[in-house]
């Protein structure tokens, strides 16, 4: 599901992943079941994923977060 978001070129969104109220830069991979951002009404800001980031399966990026490299587990 992609909702209220901007995805630039070469972005892959995995199966059962959600991207809500986010900006996703080029060459980004959002893993299966991952969650980026949240509903606009609940957000404290827009989530931003920088170029070249690869989010693993099941990862969670909160609304308002800015990710330039993945350091999660």
């Amino acid at each position: 599901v992609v909702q209220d978001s901007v995805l630039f070129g070469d972005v892959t969104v995995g199966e059962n992943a959600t991207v809500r109220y986010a900006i996703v830069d080029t060459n980004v991979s959002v893993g299966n079941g991952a969650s980026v951002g949240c509903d606009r009404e609940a957000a404290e800001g827009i989530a931003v994923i920088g170029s070249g980031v690869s989010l693993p399966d099941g990862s969670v990026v909160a609304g308002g977060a800015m990710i330039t490299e993945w350091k999660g587990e």
Side-chain angles (χ1 to χ4, degrees):
V1 174
V2 176
Q3 183 179 32
D4 297 323
S5 298
V6 176
L7 280 62
F8 288 91
D10 295 320
V11 173
T12 302
V13 178
E15 188 173 322
N16 298 316
T18 60
V19 179
R20 291 189 170 99
Y21 200 49
I23 298 173
V24 182
D25 204 350
T26 57
N27 301 314
V28 170
S29 173
V30 178
N32 296 328
S35 174
V36 176
C38 61
D39 291 329
R40 182 188 302 185
E41 294 78 23
E44 294 184 20
I46 194 163
V48 178
I49 308 297
S51 181
V53 171
S54 181
L55 298 174
D57 295 350
S59 56
V60 176
V61 176
M66 181 177 289
I67 305 297
T68 58
E69 62 180 308
W70 182 252
K71 295 181 182 179
E73 297 182 45

